[in-house]
Amino acid sequence: MLDSQAGRFDLLLLAPETAGADHLKALARVARLLRDPEIARKLRESTDADALYAVLAMSTASAA
């Protein structure tokens, strides 16, 4: 979720107890994405959950 302060992102990651280290992989991926100023800008400009998802999904697909 985006915070109203520029440059700040709040993230909630939920994972089942049986996920092992999958949550660490997810956090690492998010950290890598947020280092890209263009992706961070697009996330800040997103106005709803669908827009946020689109930015993250497109960024993940282009990184693969």
Side-chain angles (χ1 to χ4, degrees):
M1 191 94 227
L2 294 177
D3 189 288
S4 60
Q5 296 176 334
R8 179 176 168 179
F9 292 93
D10 292 327
L11 173 73
L12 171 66
L13 177 65
L14 302 174
E17 290 182 25
T18 58
D22 289 345
H23 67 289
L24 296 177
K25 293 176 187 175
L27 287 172
R29 182 175 292 240
V30 169
R32 281 192 300 275
L33 288 174
L34 291 177
R35 282 188 286 203
D36 183 328
E38 183 66 14
I39 293 172
R41 181 189 63 75
K42 288 179 181 178
L43 289 172
R44 273 189 215 93
E45 292 174 354
S46 297
T47 57
D48 59 32
D50 290 334
L52 288 170
Y53 180 80
V55 172
L56 293 172
M58 186 179 358
S59 301
T60 302
S62 65

